[in-house]
Amino acid sequence: MTCLEAIRRDITTTLTSPSLKKEDIIPILQMDSKEEMQALQSLAMEVRKEQVGRVVYFRGLVEFSNVCRKNCFYCGLRRDNREVNRFRLDEEEILRAAAFAHENRYGSLVLQSGENQREEYIDFVCRIVRKIKSKYDLGITLSCGEQSRETYRRFFESGAHRYLLRVETSSPELYGKWHPDDGKHRFQTRLECLKSLKDTGFQTGSGSMVGVPFQTWGDIAGDILFLRDMEIDMMGIGPFVEHSETPFHRKDAACLIPREERLNVTLKTIAILRILLKDVNIASTTAMQALDRFGREKGLMFGANVIMPNLTPVSRRKDYLLYEGKPCLDEDALRCNNCLPVRIACVGDTIGYGERGDPLHYFRRVSRHSSDGD
Ligand code: SAM
Ligand code: SF4
């Protein structure tokens, strides 16, 4: 048996064990040699090919508002960042992005914003979702933060069928270190929201960041098990990238996983999730491209199968800076549209043009629970 085969066998034995624990995952997250990375990558690609195919689904991303009531210590859009020029796109601008997605046969749109619970904002989201659905055959994913169960129901009934809400970290203690203790940032609320989203019927996406101050290897391993145990359908895992107008840019903020290692650890996390969870959708996130110009392509090579080309009007992109060094700030949707297919072909994948690319995990989860009488 070659060295590569032996490493592959060890990874498979570990990840298929019914008693898999955090401590078993940590050594895989810490794998570093060329052979180990190659073994992990080839296993993840085998599972990806067998379970979801070598097809990449596009979700056109529209960052429609940066107004946010929250103050997450890591994010450039946090309420206390007075340097941000706050905006909300109007209906016309969002509909133009939807038209572009439709004309270019993207299967879906993601509408993302800061967190806003005002009635007027919720009405706006419901209205725009209904309008898009009445004009175009596009799947709609929302990423609008924590909302009440009733609001999630209204979003769903308007026609959105997927929702992304990262848990950020599955450790309540760490969550407390990443957010202010002001009653608005509660780990428990995050969990309740994820539960409400699943109960409402959404294809539910969640995920975490890699390399945020104070995070340990055990925390990342815990996130992987959390996503498995919560039966999440769509994963969004991305490296933390600093923003100078946030508390986490301070030099004394303890980053246990240094910036140079964050992309590799993110890739390993994606690979483990693919091997473990098999039929979920996994996004190759923009933050990966912020750390490496081929970060997103590398994500596909480690098991991801979704890419979110940015359709936000170029004039607004500089106002939606979660972190510094965000790529494609001055690249309009058309240029992206020309560049991405070449990049994707280079890794040997095809694009699922015109396909929704819903996560198979969702359909299996729903049918499993209905046959359980759940
Ligand atoms: N406001 C909504 C929410 O928080 O769920 C949606 C928009 S928020 C900007 C989307 C994601 O951006 C968050 O879930 C977080 O993981 C990520 N994010 C924020 N700041 C980041 C940073 N500095 N580096 C990497 N990702 C970041
Ligand atoms: Fe607001 Fe989301 Fe940024 Fe937190 S991560 S400050 S909720 S936009």
Side-chain angles (χ1 to χ4, degrees):
M1 186 183 289
T2 65
C3 171
L4 194 68
E5 280 163 353
I7 305 169
R8 281 170 53 105
R9 190 203 50 203
D10 287 351
I11 298 174
T12 310
T13 313
T14 305
L15 293 181
T16 50
S17 158
S19 58
L20 180 68
K21 296 184 294 300
K22 274 197 223 182
E23 296 70 41
D24 307 320
I25 297 177
I26 294 172
I28 305 181
L29 286 170
Q30 292 176 332
M31 285 182 164
D32 213 13
S33 72
K34 205 167 149 234
E35 290 77 21
E36 286 171 328
M37 287 301 273
Q38 215 181 327
L40 199 51
Q41 189 208 332
S42 64
L43 267 177
M45 280 314 265
E46 248 170 56
V47 177
R48 182 185 155 202
K49 190 171 171 201
E50 188 186 291
Q51 296 283 334
V52 294
R54 295 283 310 255
V55 183
V56 178
Y57 299 106
F58 279 177
R59 295 17 182 151
L61 174 66
V62 188
E63 298 154 328
F64 70 95
S65 169
N66 63 2
V67 177
C68 190
R69 66 191 277 273
K70 290 277 190 72
N71 240 336
C72 308
F73 290 148
Y74 42 82
C75 177
L77 300 189
R78 63 197 306 270
R79 193 193 59 214
D80 285 356
N81 182 3
R82 308 277 173 231
E83 302 299 313
V84 178
N85 189 13
R86 303 285 166 178
F87 72 91
R88 185 171 85 193
L89 298 184
D90 60 31
E91 280 189 21
E92 273 311 303
E93 289 172 300
I94 301 176
L95 287 172
R96 266 201 296 278
F100 182 92
H102 168 76
E103 281 153 22
N104 290 282
R105 296 190 300 132
Y106 292 7
S108 302
L109 270 191
V110 178
L111 301 181
Q112 191 185 75
S113 72
E115 190 173 296
N116 186 341
Q117 299 179 336
R118 297 218 174 108
E119 199 50 36
E120 179 264 339
Y121 162 89
I122 290 159
D123 287 344
F124 176 82
V125 175
C126 292
R127 203 166 51 243
I128 196 70
V129 169
R130 257 188 255 108
K131 277 207 178 147
I132 296 171
K133 293 297 287 185
S134 69
K135 279 169 118 40
Y136 306 113
D137 181 22
L138 286 169
I140 297 191
T141 309
L142 291 178
S143 170
C144 305
E146 292 171 8
Q147 302 290 345
S148 68
R149 198 170 256 267
E150 168 62 10
T151 300
Y152 286 146
R153 189 190 59 75
R154 286 180 57 197
F155 286 167
F156 190 73
E157 285 176 0
S158 303
H161 76 301
R162 300 189 196 112
Y163 203 100
L164 301 175
L165 182 74
R166 286 186 181 178
V167 68
E168 312 297 359
T169 169
S170 58
S171 153
E173 295 77 41
L174 196 56
Y175 196 90
K177 291 185 182 169
W178 290 2
H179 301 94
D181 180 16
D182 59 359
K184 273 193 193 167
H185 301 73
R186 289 178 59 248
F187 181 72
Q188 198 52 35
T189 310
R190 207 79 180 165
L191 296 188
E192 282 157 17
C193 284
L194 282 171
K195 179 156 189 329
S196 297
L197 288 166
K198 283 169 68 185
D199 291 347
T200 306
F202 278 106
Q203 296 175 13
T204 304
S206 192
S208 52
M209 278 181 288
V210 170
V212 191
F214 313 112
Q215 186 183 44
T216 63
W217 294 102
D219 292 323
I220 303 172
D223 295 344
I224 292 172
L225 294 177
F226 172 89
L227 295 168
R228 179 196 66 179
D229 297 343
M230 281 291 286
E231 296 190 285
I232 295 299
D233 307 308
M234 307 162 328
M235 313 285 150
I237 308 291
F240 164 65
V241 187
E242 287 83 352
H243 188 297
S244 57
E245 297 297 329
T246 65
F248 274 6
H249 193 61
R250 288 194 321 253
K251 293 204 170 34
D252 60 353
C255 253
L256 305 177
I257 298 173
R259 193 178 163 104
E260 316 78 72
E261 277 185 36
R262 283 181 217 152
L263 179 67
N264 268 353
V265 181
T266 307
L267 294 173
K268 286 180 270 188
T269 308
I270 288 176
I272 295 170
L273 284 168
R274 173 59 71 204
I275 298 166
L276 200 59
L277 305 181
K278 300 188 168 41
D279 56 0
V280 293
N281 277 353
I282 306 182
S284 201
T285 55
T286 315
M288 293 164 69
Q289 201 188 345
L291 293 188
D292 177 328
R293 41 195 293 253
F294 298 111
R296 281 194 301 189
E297 290 79 352
K298 289 183 180 171
L300 298 177
M301 297 298 291
F302 276 79
N305 65 330
V306 167
I307 282 194
M308 302 200 271
N310 199 333
L311 303 186
T312 309
V314 173
S315 60
R316 288 301 189 186
R317 291 196 194 175
K318 63 180 182 327
D319 299 323
Y320 201 90
L321 278 195
L322 319 178
Y323 47 80
E324 277 148 3
K326 201 170 164 213
C328 308
L329 282 187
D330 52 6
E331 199 162 294
D332 67 18
L334 204 58
R335 266 182 71 186
C336 241
N337 204 39
N338 294 333
C339 144
L340 261 176
V342 179
R343 285 169 167 248
I344 288 167
C346 284
V347 300
D349 285 346
T350 56
I351 300 168
Y353 281 119
E355 291 180 58
R356 289 277 173 91
D358 287 319
L360 296 172
H361 185 273
Y362 166 80
F363 300 106
R364 292 180 182 151
R365 163 168 75 82
V366 169
S367 90
R368 202 168 44 244
H369 287 293
S370 58
S371 62
D372 290 349
D374 195 353

PDB file of all heavy atoms in Angstrom, residues 204-224:
ATOM      1  N   THR A 204     -32.082  24.757   4.501  1.00  0.00           N
ATOM      2  CA  THR A 204     -31.414  25.585   5.500  1.00  0.00           C
ATOM      3  C   THR A 204     -29.896  25.509   5.378  1.00  0.00           C
ATOM      4  O   THR A 204     -29.317  24.422   5.359  1.00  0.00           O
ATOM      5  CB  THR A 204     -31.867  25.141   6.913  1.00  0.00           C
ATOM      6  OG1 THR A 204     -33.299  25.227   6.941  1.00  0.00           O
ATOM      7  CG2 THR A 204     -31.296  26.030   8.002  1.00  0.00           C
ATOM      8  N   GLY A 205     -29.303  26.697   5.304  1.00  0.00           N
ATOM      9  CA  GLY A 205     -27.851  26.782   5.198  1.00  0.00           C
ATOM     10  C   GLY A 205     -27.274  27.359   6.477  1.00  0.00           C
ATOM     11  O   GLY A 205     -27.875  28.218   7.123  1.00  0.00           O
ATOM     12  N   SER A 206     -26.108  26.866   6.862  1.00  0.00           N
ATOM     13  CA  SER A 206     -25.414  27.457   8.005  1.00  0.00           C
ATOM     14  C   SER A 206     -23.917  27.253   7.791  1.00  0.00           C
ATOM     15  O   SER A 206     -23.498  26.795   6.734  1.00  0.00           O
ATOM     16  CB  SER A 206     -25.907  26.836   9.313  1.00  0.00           C
ATOM     17  OG  SER A 206     -25.449  27.603  10.410  1.00  0.00           O
ATOM     18  N   GLY A 207     -23.155  27.617   8.774  1.00  0.00           N
ATOM     19  CA  GLY A 207     -21.718  27.466   8.613  1.00  0.00           C
ATOM     20  C   GLY A 207     -20.991  28.289   9.638  1.00  0.00           C
ATOM     21  O   GLY A 207     -21.580  28.788  10.611  1.00  0.00           O
ATOM     22  N   SER A 208     -19.702  28.431   9.414  1.00  0.00           N
ATOM     23  CA  SER A 208     -18.875  29.059  10.440  1.00  0.00           C
ATOM     24  C   SER A 208     -17.683  29.733   9.785  1.00  0.00           C
ATOM     25  O   SER A 208     -17.452  29.583   8.592  1.00  0.00           O
ATOM     26  CB  SER A 208     -18.402  27.981  11.414  1.00  0.00           C
ATOM     27  OG  SER A 208     -17.819  26.925  10.684  1.00  0.00           O
ATOM     28  N   MET A 209     -16.949  30.474  10.609  1.00  0.00           N
ATOM     29  CA  MET A 209     -15.725  31.105  10.119  1.00  0.00           C
ATOM     30  C   MET A 209     -14.524  30.360  10.685  1.00  0.00           C
ATOM     31  O   MET A 209     -14.601  29.749  11.743  1.00  0.00           O
ATOM     32  CB  MET A 209     -15.680  32.569  10.549  1.00  0.00           C
ATOM     33  CG  MET A 209     -16.495  33.449   9.633  1.00  0.00           C
ATOM     34  SD  MET A 209     -16.401  35.172  10.139  1.00  0.00           S
ATOM     35  CE  MET A 209     -17.366  35.142  11.612  1.00  0.00           C
ATOM     36  N   VAL A 210     -13.423  30.481   9.969  1.00  0.00           N
ATOM     37  CA  VAL A 210     -12.198  29.797  10.371  1.00  0.00           C
ATOM     38  C   VAL A 210     -11.119  30.832  10.656  1.00  0.00           C
ATOM     39  O   VAL A 210     -10.859  31.706   9.819  1.00  0.00           O
ATOM     40  CB  VAL A 210     -11.724  28.844   9.241  1.00  0.00           C
ATOM     41  CG1 VAL A 210     -10.323  28.313   9.517  1.00  0.00           C
ATOM     42  CG2 VAL A 210     -12.709  27.700   9.058  1.00  0.00           C
ATOM     43  N   GLY A 211     -10.543  30.769  11.842  1.00  0.00           N
ATOM     44  CA  GLY A 211      -9.406  31.638  12.149  1.00  0.00           C
ATOM     45  C   GLY A 211      -9.773  32.934  12.841  1.00  0.00           C
ATOM     46  O   GLY A 211      -8.972  33.869  12.876  1.00  0.00           O
ATOM     47  N   VAL A 212     -10.952  32.994  13.432  1.00  0.00           N
ATOM     48  CA  VAL A 212     -11.363  34.189  14.172  1.00  0.00           C
ATOM     49  C   VAL A 212     -10.625  34.178  15.522  1.00  0.00           C
ATOM     50  O   VAL A 212     -10.317  33.099  16.049  1.00  0.00           O
ATOM     51  CB  VAL A 212     -12.907  34.196  14.376  1.00  0.00           C
ATOM     52  CG1 VAL A 212     -13.393  35.538  14.900  1.00  0.00           C
ATOM     53  CG2 VAL A 212     -13.614  33.858  13.086  1.00  0.00           C
ATOM     54  N   PRO A 213     -10.295  35.348  16.073  1.00  0.00           N
ATOM     55  CA  PRO A 213      -9.600  35.352  17.364  1.00  0.00           C
ATOM     56  C   PRO A 213     -10.258  34.425  18.397  1.00  0.00           C
ATOM     57  O   PRO A 213     -11.481  34.312  18.433  1.00  0.00           O
ATOM     58  CB  PRO A 213      -9.692  36.818  17.803  1.00  0.00           C
ATOM     59  CG  PRO A 213      -9.694  37.567  16.513  1.00  0.00           C
ATOM     60  CD  PRO A 213     -10.464  36.702  15.549  1.00  0.00           C
ATOM     61  N   PHE A 214      -9.402  33.831  19.176  1.00  0.00           N
ATOM     62  CA  PHE A 214      -9.752  32.940  20.304  1.00  0.00           C
ATOM     63  C   PHE A 214     -10.207  31.537  19.885  1.00  0.00           C
ATOM     64  O   PHE A 214     -10.396  30.673  20.718  1.00  0.00           O
ATOM     65  CB  PHE A 214     -10.833  33.554  21.220  1.00  0.00           C
ATOM     66  CG  PHE A 214     -10.584  34.979  21.598  1.00  0.00           C
ATOM     67  CD1 PHE A 214     -11.402  36.000  21.123  1.00  0.00           C
ATOM     68  CD2 PHE A 214      -9.504  35.326  22.402  1.00  0.00           C
ATOM     69  CE1 PHE A 214     -11.164  37.329  21.456  1.00  0.00           C
ATOM     70  CE2 PHE A 214      -9.258  36.654  22.736  1.00  0.00           C
ATOM     71  CZ  PHE A 214     -10.089  37.654  22.260  1.00  0.00           C
ATOM     72  N   GLN A 215     -10.418  31.308  18.585  1.00  0.00           N
ATOM     73  CA  GLN A 215     -10.918  30.007  18.142  1.00  0.00           C
ATOM     74  C   GLN A 215      -9.803  28.945  18.220  1.00  0.00           C
ATOM     75  O   GLN A 215      -8.663  29.223  17.865  1.00  0.00           O
ATOM     76  CB  GLN A 215     -11.381  30.133  16.692  1.00  0.00           C
ATOM     77  CG  GLN A 215     -12.064  28.920  16.106  1.00  0.00           C
ATOM     78  CD  GLN A 215     -12.409  29.159  14.635  1.00  0.00           C
ATOM     79  OE1 GLN A 215     -11.599  29.685  13.871  1.00  0.00           O
ATOM     80  NE2 GLN A 215     -13.610  28.805  14.249  1.00  0.00           N
ATOM     81  N   THR A 216     -10.168  27.756  18.668  1.00  0.00           N
ATOM     82  CA  THR A 216      -9.186  26.668  18.756  1.00  0.00           C
ATOM     83  C   THR A 216      -9.504  25.590  17.703  1.00  0.00           C
ATOM     84  O   THR A 216     -10.580  25.610  17.104  1.00  0.00           O
ATOM     85  CB  THR A 216      -9.235  26.001  20.150  1.00  0.00           C
ATOM     86  OG1 THR A 216     -10.545  25.413  20.285  1.00  0.00           O
ATOM     87  CG2 THR A 216      -9.013  26.998  21.282  1.00  0.00           C
ATOM     88  N   TRP A 217      -8.593  24.636  17.565  1.00  0.00           N
ATOM     89  CA  TRP A 217      -8.838  23.508  16.650  1.00  0.00           C
ATOM     90  C   TRP A 217     -10.092  22.756  17.082  1.00  0.00           C
ATOM     91  O   TRP A 217     -10.893  22.334  16.252  1.00  0.00           O
ATOM     92  CB  TRP A 217      -7.641  22.552  16.658  1.00  0.00           C
ATOM     93  CG  TRP A 217      -6.407  23.175  16.088  1.00  0.00           C
ATOM     94  CD1 TRP A 217      -5.348  23.666  16.787  1.00  0.00           C
ATOM     95  CD2 TRP A 217      -6.104  23.394  14.702  1.00  0.00           C
ATOM     96  NE1 TRP A 217      -4.411  24.174  15.916  1.00  0.00           N
ATOM     97  CE2 TRP A 217      -4.837  24.011  14.630  1.00  0.00           C
ATOM     98  CE3 TRP A 217      -6.778  23.117  13.509  1.00  0.00           C
ATOM     99  CZ2 TRP A 217      -4.236  24.364  13.434  1.00  0.00           C
ATOM    100  CZ3 TRP A 217      -6.173  23.468  12.303  1.00  0.00           C
ATOM    101  CH2 TRP A 217      -4.923  24.081  12.272  1.00  0.00           C
ATOM    102  N   GLY A 218     -10.246  22.620  18.388  1.00  0.00           N
ATOM    103  CA  GLY A 218     -11.411  21.905  18.924  1.00  0.00           C
ATOM    104  C   GLY A 218     -12.711  22.616  18.543  1.00  0.00           C
ATOM    105  O   GLY A 218     -13.731  21.975  18.285  1.00  0.00           O
ATOM    106  N   ASP A 219     -12.667  23.954  18.508  1.00  0.00           N
ATOM    107  CA  ASP A 219     -13.873  24.697  18.126  1.00  0.00           C
ATOM    108  C   ASP A 219     -14.264  24.391  16.681  1.00  0.00           C
ATOM    109  O   ASP A 219     -15.444  24.219  16.360  1.00  0.00           O
ATOM    110  CB  ASP A 219     -13.641  26.210  18.268  1.00  0.00           C
ATOM    111  CG  ASP A 219     -13.487  26.646  19.724  1.00  0.00           C
ATOM    112  OD1 ASP A 219     -14.183  26.073  20.583  1.00  0.00           O
ATOM    113  OD2 ASP A 219     -12.666  27.544  19.993  1.00  0.00           O
ATOM    114  N   ILE A 220     -13.258  24.334  15.804  1.00  0.00           N
ATOM    115  CA  ILE A 220     -13.566  24.067  14.382  1.00  0.00           C
ATOM    116  C   ILE A 220     -14.115  22.642  14.228  1.00  0.00           C
ATOM    117  O   ILE A 220     -15.098  22.406  13.515  1.00  0.00           O
ATOM    118  CB  ILE A 220     -12.318  24.275  13.490  1.00  0.00           C
ATOM    119  CG1 ILE A 220     -11.791  25.702  13.665  1.00  0.00           C
ATOM    120  CG2 ILE A 220     -12.646  24.011  12.021  1.00  0.00           C
ATOM    121  CD1 ILE A 220     -10.459  25.971  12.975  1.00  0.00           C
ATOM    122  N   ALA A 221     -13.482  21.711  14.935  1.00  0.00           N
ATOM    123  CA  ALA A 221     -13.981  20.326  14.890  1.00  0.00           C
ATOM    124  C   ALA A 221     -15.419  20.286  15.417  1.00  0.00           C
ATOM    125  O   ALA A 221     -16.283  19.589  14.863  1.00  0.00           O
ATOM    126  CB  ALA A 221     -13.070  19.426  15.722  1.00  0.00           C
ATOM    127  N   GLY A 222     -15.694  21.066  16.457  1.00  0.00           N
ATOM    128  CA  GLY A 222     -17.044  21.130  17.026  1.00  0.00           C
ATOM    129  C   GLY A 222     -18.046  21.676  16.007  1.00  0.00           C
ATOM    130  O   GLY A 222     -19.194  21.212  15.925  1.00  0.00           O
ATOM    131  N   ASP A 223     -17.612  22.637  15.209  1.00  0.00           N
ATOM    132  CA  ASP A 223     -18.514  23.205  14.188  1.00  0.00           C
ATOM    133  C   ASP A 223     -18.926  22.137  13.172  1.00  0.00           C
ATOM    134  O   ASP A 223     -20.081  22.079  12.739  1.00  0.00           O
ATOM    135  CB  ASP A 223     -17.828  24.365  13.436  1.00  0.00           C
ATOM    136  CG  ASP A 223     -17.537  25.552  14.349  1.00  0.00           C
ATOM    137  OD1 ASP A 223     -18.125  25.618  15.452  1.00  0.00           O
ATOM    138  OD2 ASP A 223     -16.707  26.405  13.974  1.00  0.00           O
ATOM    139  N   ILE A 224     -17.966  21.302  12.810  1.00  0.00           N
ATOM    140  CA  ILE A 224     -18.258  20.238  11.828  1.00  0.00           C
ATOM    141  C   ILE A 224     -19.334  19.291  12.398  1.00  0.00           C
ATOM    142  O   ILE A 224     -20.314  18.969  11.725  1.00  0.00           O
ATOM    143  CB  ILE A 224     -16.957  19.465  11.488  1.00  0.00           C
ATOM    144  CG1 ILE A 224     -16.008  20.393  10.705  1.00  0.00           C
ATOM    145  CG2 ILE A 224     -17.253  18.185  10.713  1.00  0.00           C
ATOM    146  CD1 ILE A 224     -14.613  19.829  10.464  1.00  0.00           C
TER     147      ILE A 224
END
